[in-house]
């Protein structure tokens, strides 16, 4: 684990903190390498039910390091093919956040811009403080966009608004982002961590096998036909009906008590 990324696990919740607060947590190679090591490992960790991504200090993530761009240090490789493949490999961070078999939450304070916004959008849920600001930012630095932001944003706010936000690089405050459906909740700055962790622990204490298949269903719903989706739901629903967690939940309902899930 790099000093550019901090990791903590407690009570079934893993918190990954982007840790370059002096640069508003702009992405670095060590940070992305650490994410690419940590996310698959946490995905396979049976003690982890939820992964939270946040930023140290006053911002979530400003995206790419503009100073490194100006100095020509951002891209790896020498040929176009090498540069594109190196970037694509690092963009697996977004795929892991979106597809890993457990819920992911972005806890956002301050700026989430460029690739930083893309990473927040890759998570299943976004909890923002009232200080949060969101911007695609790519047009401001002459880039077209990376880390899947155009894919995620189109699905969250619709193609027309997503195109507008990319073409204009308009900066949105937390209330505007909430109205558009870019974030799930906006909470006071002082309550951000408490509110996010309460939600994370609530989800982590739930039926983890069922949550894994719920996430598969939700991801599959983004494409494909209704008939195919009904088939998928039928298989997943039947599969989760064979879990200990389902049987425990049914008994708890009859007994009029809260279920105790074990992830089995």
């Amino acid at each position: 684990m790099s000093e550019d990324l901090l990791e903590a696990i407690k009570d079934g919740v893993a918190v990954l903190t982007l840790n370059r607060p002096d640069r508003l947590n702009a992405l670095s190679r060590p940070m992305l390498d650490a994410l690419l090591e940590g996310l698959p490992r946490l995905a396979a960790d049976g003690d982890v039910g939820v992964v939270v991504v946040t930023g140290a200090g006053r911002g979530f993530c400003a995206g790419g390091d503009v100073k490194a761009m100006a100095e020509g240090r951002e891209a790896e490789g020498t040929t176009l093919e090498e540069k594109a493949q190196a970037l694509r490999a690092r963009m697996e961070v977004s795929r892991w956040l979106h597809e890993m078999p457990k819920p992911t939450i972005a806890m956002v304070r301050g700026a989430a811009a460029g690739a930083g916004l893309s990473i927040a959008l890759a998570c299943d849920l976004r909890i923002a403080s009232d200080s949060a600001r969101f911007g695609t930012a790519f047009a401001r630095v002459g880039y077209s966009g990376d880390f899947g932001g155009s894919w995620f944003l189109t699905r969250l706010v619709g193609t027309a608004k997503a195109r507008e936000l990319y073409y204009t690089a308009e900066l949105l405050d937390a209330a505007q982002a909430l109205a558009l459906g870019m974030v799930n909740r906006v909470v006071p700055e002082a309550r951000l961590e408490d509110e996010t962790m309460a939600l994370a622990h609530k989800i982590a204490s739930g039926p983890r096998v069922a949550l894994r298949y719920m996430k598969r269903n939700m991801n599959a719903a983004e494409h494909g036909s209704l008939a195919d989706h009904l088939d998928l739901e039928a298989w997943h629903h039947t599969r989760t009906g064979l879990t200990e967690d389902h049987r425990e939940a049914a008994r708890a309902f009859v007994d009029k008590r809260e279920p105790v899930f074990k992830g089995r």
Side-chain angles (χ1 to χ4, degrees), residues 39-218:
L39 291 172
R41 173 170 45 79
L42 294 172
D45 189 337
D47 292 330
V48 173
V50 172
V51 175
V52 175
V53 181
T54 191
R58 60 190 179 90
F60 178 77
C61 177
D65 190 329
V66 179
K67 182 178 180 181
M69 294 177 200
E71 295 173 353
R73 296 184 291 105
E74 186 193 36
E76 296 177 64
T78 54
T79 68
L80 174 62
E81 180 71 15
E82 289 172 348
K83 292 176 185 292
Q85 289 304 316
L87 174 59
R88 175 63 184 87
R90 305 220 183 266
M91 287 164 61
E92 281 291 286
V93 166
S94 293
R95 190 182 67 79
W96 274 106
L97 288 169
H98 184 66
E99 295 184 359
M100 69 188 303
K102 52 195 64 176
T104 55
I105 302 174
M107 179 169 67
V108 182
R109 61 167 54 84
L117 174 62
S118 300
I119 287 171
L121 298 178
C123 294
D124 294 302
L125 305 174
R126 283 152 296 285
I127 311 301
S129 78
D130 50 14
S131 73
R133 299 292 182 269
F134 302 87
T136 59
F138 296 112
R140 297 181 184 275
V141 291
Y143 267 138
S144 58
D146 57 3
F147 282 81
S150 57
W151 195 88
F152 297 118
L153 192 60
T154 295
R155 283 155 176 77
L156 285 170
V157 306
T159 184
K161 192 63 181 180
R163 289 169 193 243
E164 177 187 341
L165 293 173
Y166 261 74
Y167 298 163
T168 66
E170 177 186 357
L171 193 64
L172 303 179
D173 62 25
Q176 290 172 308
L178 181 64
L180 284 173
M182 287 174 64
V183 300
N184 297 83
R185 301 180 188 179
V186 174
V187 301
E189 173 80 22
R191 294 286 303 165
L192 177 62
E193 185 168 351
D194 288 344
E195 295 279 351
T196 303
M197 296 310 293
L199 176 62
H201 284 117
K202 178 179 181 179
I203 295 172
S205 66
R208 294 184 185 178
V209 176
L211 290 169
R212 179 165 72 243
Y213 284 103
M214 283 179 196
K215 183 162 180 174
R216 286 191 187 180
N217 289 343
M218 296 299 180

